[in-house]
Amino acid sequence: WEREFKKFAPDARVLVVHGSDRATAYDGIRDADVVVTSYPIVCRDEEKFAEWDFHLVILDEAQTIKNMKSRAHIACRSIVATHRLCLSGTPVENHLGELWSLFDFVNPGLLGDELHFNRFYRVPIERLRNEDRLSALRELVAPYILRRNKRDVAKELPKKTEVMRPVELHGQQRELYESIRVAAHAEVR
């Protein structure tokens, strides 16, 4: 991110808080336009970040905070900021609780507390396949989500190419594969 700021905003005063000698870097926050750090540093130095009020906090690869009980989620959530933004290519991979975690950071309270969200949205949508609740959730979060496809963002990139290469398994590899395949088949059935 430091390199990107030098490229696109060369006059911005960028402070990178990283590494074992970062203790003195915190004094520079006052004079910085931008502070760049990592999730592990935010977790380790949560109390240092708590000393500051930021105008804007942007979480890149925000899927890092999708587990609401994770140290990263708790530490990032405690940062005081007027505005918050999450950037993620995969906001929901496993369940709707991940969406709630991101919104708990971006706009606390929008989706209610975790218990309310689970009762009103997650269980009806995931277990009961309730289309009305799904529509209500989509309508609620839509103003906060900008979704773009690769074809819209990076037109110069080639289309996805798939190459099929058959692999012949022999001996113990074949036996292991076959045992896993049979077990998975039985589980699916």
Side-chain angles (χ1 to χ4, degrees), residues 45-62:
D45 297 353
E46 184 177 348
E47 67 286 341
K48 287 285 193 184
F49 286 99
E51 295 173 13
W52 298 94
D53 290 354
F54 294 92
H55 176 71
L56 171 65
V57 173
I58 301 172
L59 300 184
D60 189 21
E61 301 297 340

mmCIF file of all heavy atoms in Angstrom, residues 45-62:
data_model
loop_
_atom_site.group_PDB
_atom_site.id
_atom_site.type_symbol
_atom_site.label_atom_id
_atom_site.label_comp_id
_atom_site.label_asym_id
_atom_site.label_seq_id
_atom_site.Cartn_x
_atom_site.Cartn_y
_atom_site.Cartn_z
ATOM 1 N N ASP A 45 -0.868 -4.604 18.937
ATOM 2 C CA ASP A 45 -0.770 -3.243 19.465
ATOM 3 C C ASP A 45 -2.134 -2.567 19.587
ATOM 4 O O ASP A 45 -2.261 -1.361 19.396
ATOM 5 C CB ASP A 45 0.134 -2.400 18.553
ATOM 6 C CG ASP A 45 1.561 -2.922 18.507
ATOM 7 O OD1 ASP A 45 1.900 -3.840 19.276
ATOM 8 O OD2 ASP A 45 2.350 -2.397 17.698
ATOM 9 N N GLU A 46 -3.134 -3.345 19.921
ATOM 10 C CA GLU A 46 -4.502 -2.824 20.006
ATOM 11 C C GLU A 46 -4.587 -1.586 20.894
ATOM 12 O O GLU A 46 -5.252 -0.608 20.545
ATOM 13 C CB GLU A 46 -5.423 -3.923 20.540
ATOM 14 C CG GLU A 46 -6.873 -3.540 20.592
ATOM 15 C CD GLU A 46 -7.761 -4.692 21.067
ATOM 16 O OE1 GLU A 46 -7.290 -5.846 21.138
ATOM 17 O OE2 GLU A 46 -8.937 -4.413 21.364
ATOM 18 N N GLU A 47 -3.892 -1.604 22.003
ATOM 19 C CA GLU A 47 -3.945 -0.464 22.927
ATOM 20 C C GLU A 47 -3.310 0.789 22.326
ATOM 21 O O GLU A 47 -3.745 1.905 22.614
ATOM 22 C CB GLU A 47 -3.295 -0.814 24.274
ATOM 23 C CG GLU A 47 -1.798 -1.063 24.243
ATOM 24 C CD GLU A 47 -1.375 -2.395 23.617
ATOM 25 O OE1 GLU A 47 -2.202 -3.311 23.503
ATOM 26 O OE2 GLU A 47 -0.193 -2.505 23.231
ATOM 27 N N LYS A 48 -2.313 0.625 21.489
ATOM 28 C CA LYS A 48 -1.690 1.789 20.824
ATOM 29 C C LYS A 48 -2.664 2.435 19.839
ATOM 30 O O LYS A 48 -2.777 3.649 19.770
ATOM 31 C CB LYS A 48 -0.410 1.375 20.085
ATOM 32 C CG LYS A 48 0.739 1.076 20.984
ATOM 33 C CD LYS A 48 1.296 2.371 21.515
ATOM 34 C CE LYS A 48 2.641 2.130 22.160
ATOM 35 N NZ LYS A 48 3.146 3.362 22.754
ATOM 36 N N PHE A 49 -3.373 1.605 19.079
ATOM 37 C CA PHE A 49 -4.339 2.141 18.129
ATOM 38 C C PHE A 49 -5.533 2.764 18.843
ATOM 39 O O PHE A 49 -6.165 3.683 18.326
ATOM 40 C CB PHE A 49 -4.792 1.059 17.138
ATOM 41 C CG PHE A 49 -3.750 0.723 16.118
ATOM 42 C CD1 PHE A 49 -2.944 -0.391 16.274
ATOM 43 C CD2 PHE A 49 -3.553 1.540 15.020
ATOM 44 C CE1 PHE A 49 -1.967 -0.690 15.338
ATOM 45 C CE2 PHE A 49 -2.577 1.250 14.079
ATOM 46 C CZ PHE A 49 -1.776 0.136 14.243
ATOM 47 N N ALA A 50 -5.825 2.291 20.036
ATOM 48 C CA ALA A 50 -6.947 2.831 20.814
ATOM 49 C C ALA A 50 -6.683 4.269 21.268
ATOM 50 O O ALA A 50 -7.606 4.992 21.621
ATOM 51 C CB ALA A 50 -7.227 1.941 22.014
ATOM 52 N N GLU A 51 -5.432 4.693 21.236
ATOM 53 C CA GLU A 51 -5.083 6.053 21.651
ATOM 54 C C GLU A 51 -5.450 7.098 20.592
ATOM 55 O O GLU A 51 -5.390 8.293 20.863
ATOM 56 C CB GLU A 51 -3.576 6.140 21.941
ATOM 57 C CG GLU A 51 -3.136 5.294 23.114
ATOM 58 C CD GLU A 51 -1.615 5.266 23.270
ATOM 59 O OE1 GLU A 51 -0.922 6.088 22.620
ATOM 60 O OE2 GLU A 51 -1.127 4.420 24.042
ATOM 61 N N TRP A 52 -5.815 6.652 19.405
ATOM 62 C CA TRP A 52 -6.048 7.572 18.288
ATOM 63 C C TRP A 52 -7.482 7.496 17.797
ATOM 64 O O TRP A 52 -8.095 6.444 17.824
ATOM 65 C CB TRP A 52 -5.098 7.239 17.133
ATOM 66 C CG TRP A 52 -3.671 7.397 17.530
ATOM 67 C CD1 TRP A 52 -2.836 6.417 18.003
ATOM 68 C CD2 TRP A 52 -2.930 8.597 17.543
ATOM 69 N NE1 TRP A 52 -1.619 6.943 18.289
ATOM 70 C CE2 TRP A 52 -1.634 8.290 18.025
ATOM 71 C CE3 TRP A 52 -3.211 9.918 17.197
ATOM 72 C CZ2 TRP A 52 -0.638 9.238 18.155
ATOM 73 C CZ3 TRP A 52 -2.219 10.871 17.333
ATOM 74 C CH2 TRP A 52 -0.950 10.525 17.807
ATOM 75 N N ASP A 53 -7.970 8.621 17.294
ATOM 76 C CA ASP A 53 -9.240 8.660 16.585
ATOM 77 C C ASP A 53 -8.914 8.881 15.120
ATOM 78 O O ASP A 53 -8.297 9.898 14.777
ATOM 79 C CB ASP A 53 -10.126 9.812 17.085
ATOM 80 C CG ASP A 53 -10.650 9.569 18.485
ATOM 81 O OD1 ASP A 53 -10.432 8.473 19.021
ATOM 82 O OD2 ASP A 53 -11.286 10.480 19.034
ATOM 83 N N PHE A 54 -9.319 7.956 14.277
ATOM 84 C CA PHE A 54 -9.026 8.048 12.855
ATOM 85 C C PHE A 54 -10.238 8.583 12.106
ATOM 86 O O PHE A 54 -11.380 8.348 12.499
ATOM 87 C CB PHE A 54 -8.637 6.673 12.297
ATOM 88 C CG PHE A 54 -7.337 6.153 12.856
ATOM 89 C CD1 PHE A 54 -7.328 5.346 13.981
ATOM 90 C CD2 PHE A 54 -6.136 6.488 12.268
ATOM 91 C CE1 PHE A 54 -6.146 4.878 14.511
ATOM 92 C CE2 PHE A 54 -4.944 6.012 12.778
ATOM 93 C CZ PHE A 54 -4.941 5.210 13.902
ATOM 94 N N HIS A 55 -9.986 9.263 11.011
ATOM 95 C CA HIS A 55 -11.081 9.741 10.169
ATOM 96 C C HIS A 55 -11.693 8.567 9.401
ATOM 97 O O HIS A 55 -12.907 8.434 9.302
ATOM 98 C CB HIS A 55 -10.585 10.814 9.194
ATOM 99 C CG HIS A 55 -11.638 11.269 8.238
ATOM 100 N ND1 HIS A 55 -12.717 12.033 8.633
ATOM 101 C CD2 HIS A 55 -11.816 11.033 6.914
ATOM 102 C CE1 HIS A 55 -13.495 12.265 7.591
ATOM 103 N NE2 HIS A 55 -12.970 11.662 6.537
ATOM 104 N N LEU A 56 -10.827 7.715 8.855
ATOM 105 C CA LEU A 56 -11.271 6.595 8.028
ATOM 106 C C LEU A 56 -10.381 5.389 8.286
ATOM 107 O O LEU A 56 -9.159 5.531 8.320
ATOM 108 C CB LEU A 56 -11.197 6.985 6.542
ATOM 109 C CG LEU A 56 -11.406 5.893 5.500
ATOM 110 C CD1 LEU A 56 -12.814 5.337 5.548
ATOM 111 C CD2 LEU A 56 -11.103 6.434 4.101
ATOM 112 N N VAL A 57 -10.991 4.238 8.456
ATOM 113 C CA VAL A 57 -10.248 2.981 8.536
ATOM 114 C C VAL A 57 -10.721 2.109 7.391
ATOM 115 O O VAL A 57 -11.924 1.889 7.215
ATOM 116 C CB VAL A 57 -10.471 2.252 9.880
ATOM 117 C CG1 VAL A 57 -9.825 0.875 9.858
ATOM 118 C CG2 VAL A 57 -9.904 3.062 11.026
ATOM 119 N N ILE A 58 -9.767 1.643 6.603
ATOM 120 C CA ILE A 58 -10.068 0.762 5.474
ATOM 121 C C ILE A 58 -9.412 -0.583 5.746
ATOM 122 O O ILE A 58 -8.205 -0.647 5.974
ATOM 123 C CB ILE A 58 -9.528 1.333 4.149
ATOM 124 C CG1 ILE A 58 -10.130 2.698 3.872
ATOM 125 C CG2 ILE A 58 -9.808 0.356 3.004
ATOM 126 C CD1 ILE A 58 -9.510 3.416 2.679
ATOM 127 N N LEU A 59 -10.204 -1.631 5.731
ATOM 128 C CA LEU A 59 -9.670 -2.978 5.881
ATOM 129 C C LEU A 59 -9.595 -3.633 4.515
ATOM 130 O O LEU A 59 -10.619 -3.891 3.890
ATOM 131 C CB LEU A 59 -10.566 -3.825 6.795
ATOM 132 C CG LEU A 59 -10.773 -3.340 8.221
ATOM 133 C CD1 LEU A 59 -11.600 -4.361 8.997
ATOM 134 C CD2 LEU A 59 -9.452 -3.071 8.921
ATOM 135 N N ASP A 60 -8.380 -3.861 4.044
ATOM 136 C CA ASP A 60 -8.193 -4.602 2.807
ATOM 137 C C ASP A 60 -8.173 -6.086 3.173
ATOM 138 O O ASP A 60 -7.736 -6.460 4.250
ATOM 139 C CB ASP A 60 -6.885 -4.194 2.137
ATOM 140 C CG ASP A 60 -6.738 -4.773 0.744
ATOM 141 O OD1 ASP A 60 -7.770 -5.141 0.131
ATOM 142 O OD2 ASP A 60 -5.600 -4.871 0.251
ATOM 143 N N GLU A 61 -8.640 -6.916 2.273
ATOM 144 C CA GLU A 61 -8.768 -8.351 2.558
ATOM 145 C C GLU A 61 -9.557 -8.533 3.859
ATOM 146 O O GLU A 61 -9.166 -9.258 4.767
ATOM 147 C CB GLU A 61 -7.398 -9.016 2.647
ATOM 148 C CG GLU A 61 -6.553 -8.883 1.400
ATOM 149 C CD GLU A 61 -7.147 -9.557 0.167
ATOM 150 O OE1 GLU A 61 -8.015 -10.450 0.309
ATOM 151 O OE2 GLU A 61 -6.743 -9.186 -0.952
ATOM 152 N N ALA A 62 -10.697 -7.855 3.915
ATOM 153 C CA ALA A 62 -11.503 -7.806 5.140
ATOM 154 C C ALA A 62 -12.060 -9.158 5.551
ATOM 155 O O ALA A 62 -12.544 -9.297 6.677
ATOM 156 C CB ALA A 62 -12.635 -6.796 4.980
#
